[in-house]
Amino acid sequence: MPRALINLDPAAALADVNRRTFGAFVEHLGRCVYTGLHEPAHPAATPEGFRRDVADLVRELGVTTVRYPGGNFVSGYRWEDGIGPAASRPRRLDLAWHSTEPNEFGLDEFMAWARMADVEPILAVNLGTRGLQEALDLLEYCNVAAGTALSDRRRANGAADPYRVKMWCLGNEMDGPWQIGGMTAHEYGRLAARTARAMRMIDPSLELVACGSSSSAMPTFGRWEREVLAQAYDDVDFVSAHAYYQMHDADLASFAASPVDMDYFIDSVVATCDHVGAALKSRKRIMVSFDEWNVWYTDRAESKPPAGDDWPVAPRLLEDRYCLADAMVVGGLLICLLRHSDRVRSACLAQLVNAIAPIMTEPGGPAWRQTTFHPFALTARWAKGRVLRGSIRSDQCETARFGGVDSVDAVATLDAETRQLALFLTNRSVAEAAEVEVGLAAWPGARVVEAVQISGDPSWTASALDQTWVAPRPLGDQALDGTTLKLRLPPVSWAMARLAL
Ligand code: AHR
């Protein structure tokens, strides 16, 4: 049975828990927007046509930011198509997902929806088919108070106050050959720098994200970041990272250890940023915006876009159904993101509704929670205060993809205000339960308030009819022995323990 010893020291804090770690992503893709966020004919629709049941689940999930409108979609999008009277908006081909975009939902609807769902909007500009001028126009429409052509157009469209969007993505996955208007790192770095400089002439306080790599497996990974930042280091605040994981060839052990790749990815991006910074003799630190991450079964039929003459509106696309092992991996990836809170200052689970999403809907029917909903909701709710730099010594388990990896992974957060400690853990071993001992010598009076687990048949999958089986259950196998918390984690499981100090 694998054993792990964790020691926590309140004096060794890594960084604040950044609320933007719990962001998500909404793209005009499949049914994410249409019959996801927006379905005017649904019984739960607001007067604006937003599904109230979905917004309720978004709040329950604890999402803090939402990146919009893409994704690959943004690289062919004309944002002006989505504003003004709905009846006169054009229908367009969406080349990224071989669909028809009806433009019934656009920028103003998204901003109204974000207000209703209580999330901070993050916008992406189109640097694929468009460029600097379009970015400036969009920024003027959104953030200038009044008295210019585009700000007055926003006001005429019903939004008297500026949206004051702080965070902007300069394009999407511009390193990808699949991206409309994809570029070399040099071309993109120049364009990102020029666009950023011009946007800051309107508002110097914007937070700007340059595109990093679409995955750590991209042949240009590392060189891409170095070249883009060589051009744009002084002009941007973040570089993005995207990663999707899936189980290959029924290899559950390697899949369960997916956060090992995310660790490597983040560490490499940070090293590259700091290398460029050092070469430029800059004291500025570039942060990482992990603005797409999730489990995604890219090879399944669900992910094949329509083809030929078929350009449907909001087809069922990327509607992956997640199993318990997927939930455990999502929980593990969140542990990894939190562990890098000093440099990962923003992250977006991709996506939010229907397309590779924790929330699913049926048109005219219910909205329901996938298995992956639960670890996200619990982490977003209870990871508060400071992330502790704990030490973990764990036995290893073997994986085909990563070799020997720690069986147990964990992160802890300490909320000084409420005097609560939250511990998030996974057992990646596919065969054995793990015995974990957590040293709490710094808090002699600590007591366990809640301990829950997600465990059981790794292949169990939720549906609209049964979303409860995988709901977190009490972790019975835990006890405080003096100042040592002892936990027994089942194989392929995720767990959370909260202590009052
Ligand atoms: O989230 C699905 C797609 O994955 C996004 O459109 C793209 O940015 C990424 O490749």
Side-chain angles (χ1 to χ4, degrees):
M1 177 177 302
R3 278 173 50 83
L5 301 176
I6 302 175
N7 258 304
L8 299 175
D9 176 358
L14 174 75
D16 286 347
V17 175
N18 189 335
R19 296 318 297 166
R20 278 186 179 158
T21 304
F22 307 109
F25 173 39
V26 164
E27 177 168 5
H28 284 249
L29 190 182
R31 299 190 309 112
C32 185
V33 169
Y34 303 110
T35 71
L37 307 190
H38 187 251
E39 189 179 344
H42 193 275
T46 64
E48 300 90 343
F50 307 146
R51 282 187 64 152
R52 237 184 231 108
D53 53 349
V54 171
D56 287 346
L57 284 181
V58 171
R59 272 189 294 269
E60 183 184 321
L61 187 61
V63 167
T64 51
T65 64
V66 173
R67 174 172 175 256
Y68 174 86
N72 297 340
F73 171 80
V74 79
S75 295
Y77 183 49
R78 298 177 234 203
W79 67 271
E80 304 91 327
D81 288 349
I83 59 170
S88 50
R89 295 184 193 174
R91 289 164 74 86
R92 301 274 190 198
L93 294 184
D94 161 16
L95 304 186
W97 300 106
H98 205 93
S99 306
T100 295
E101 172 54 51
N103 282 308
E104 287 159 21
F105 184 102
L107 181 62
D108 294 314
E109 286 79 20
F110 174 68
M111 290 299 173
W113 179 85
R115 221 173 15 251
M116 166 182 167
D118 211 9
V119 297
E120 177 196 347
I122 298 174
L123 291 183
V125 301
N126 174 355
L127 293 189
T129 58
R130 307 187 89 187
L132 195 159
Q133 183 59 57
E134 181 261 353
L136 291 178
D137 289 350
L138 179 57
L139 178 58
E140 179 187 328
Y141 184 89
C142 287
N143 283 12
V144 172
T148 65
L150 290 168
S151 58
D152 286 344
R153 199 151 152 208
R154 181 198 70 242
R155 289 162 64 85
N157 288 336
D161 294 329
Y163 294 134
R164 295 199 177 88
V165 178
K166 292 298 292 174
M167 197 166 170
W168 294 77
C169 303
L170 303 170
N172 176 70
E173 294 191 348
M174 299 304 289
D175 64 327
W178 59 85
Q179 199 67 212
I180 304 169
M183 293 172 196
T184 65
H186 185 77
E187 289 166 340
Y188 172 71
R190 293 284 307 126
L191 177 59
R194 283 203 310 270
T195 308
R197 272 177 224 160
M199 290 175 79
R200 287 198 200 281
M201 288 180 183
I202 297 181
D203 181 354
S205 74
L206 298 178
E207 296 174 64
L208 300 177
V209 187
C211 292
S213 293
S214 305
S215 92
S216 64
M218 292 297 288
T220 49
F221 173 51
R223 280 181 289 124
W224 172 274
E225 284 78 0
R226 189 180 59 197
E227 178 59 27
V228 167
L229 289 175
Q231 307 293 334
Y233 197 89
D234 290 337
D235 305 301
V236 301
D237 306 287
F238 295 86
V239 66
S240 70
H242 291 179
Y244 293 100
Y245 298 96
Q246 60 185 308
M247 182 154 61
H248 294 283
D249 307 323
D251 178 3
L252 180 56
S254 297
F255 178 52
S258 297
V260 170
D261 175 76
M262 192 187 245
D263 269 327
Y264 155 77
F265 194 175
I266 296 171
D267 292 342
S268 308
V269 172
V270 168
T272 307
C273 292
D274 291 352
H275 160 71
V276 176
L280 294 173
K281 303 194 169 41
S282 173
R283 299 183 75 83
K284 172 178 172 181
R285 285 282 168 273
I286 298 286
M287 299 295 159
V288 179
S289 171
F290 218 114
D291 48 35
E292 289 186 32
W293 68 271
N294 203 349
V295 173
W296 177 9
Y297 290 89
T298 48
D299 302 333
R300 286 188 187 160
E302 290 87 324
S303 287
K304 296 275 166 291
D309 291 337
D310 185 22
W311 295 85
V313 173
R316 286 187 185 264
L317 248 185
L318 277 61
E319 297 202 9
D320 283 1
R321 298 294 170 99
Y322 292 120
C323 65
L324 187 144
D326 299 326
M328 176 262 178
V329 168
V330 163
L333 294 170
L334 272 168
I335 290 173
C336 172
L337 290 169
L338 280 171
R339 188 180 25 247
H340 290 92
S341 291
D342 55 336
R343 297 303 290 266
V344 177
R345 307 294 291 166
S346 176
C348 302
L349 176 69
Q351 300 192 5
L352 185 57
V353 187
N354 287 331
I356 44 173
I359 299 171
M360 299 298 289
T361 68
E362 278 309 312
W368 54 278
R369 301 165 192 78
Q370 295 239 46
T371 57
T372 52
F373 185 99
H374 303 288
F376 190 101
L378 284 167
T379 310
R381 178 150 185 215
W382 295 112
K384 291 213 175 110
R386 307 272 288 158
V387 180
L388 295 186
R389 213 189 278 272
S391 72
I392 306 180
R393 273 190 295 131
S394 169
D395 288 345
Q396 302 240 306
C397 55
E398 268 314 304
T399 69
R401 190 161 164 221
F402 305 108
V405 303
D406 283 358
S407 296
V408 173
D409 195 17
V411 74
T413 62
L414 176 64
D415 186 357
E417 221 169 274
T418 58
R419 292 198 50 76
Q420 285 224 4
L421 183 76
L423 194 61
F424 306 91
L425 311 102
T426 51
N427 177 11
R428 298 152 166 180
S429 167
V430 297
E432 293 180 276
E435 298 284 1
V436 184
E437 292 191 4
V438 188
L440 300 168
W443 304 282
R447 87 193 144 74
V448 177
V449 179
E450 183 186 20
V452 290
Q453 61 179 318
I454 294 175
S455 64
D457 172 1
S459 67
W460 188 87
T461 303
S463 69
L465 298 178
D466 183 2
Q467 44 176 324
T468 57
W469 186 87
V470 79
R473 290 173 291 118
L475 178 63
D477 283 336
Q478 51 85 15
L480 256 177
D481 179 359
T483 55
T484 303
L485 174 65
K486 296 185 171 173
L487 310 160
R488 191 165 192 273
L489 305 178
V492 197
S493 67
W494 176 92
M496 178 191 77
R498 289 195 300 118
L499 293 100
L501 305 175

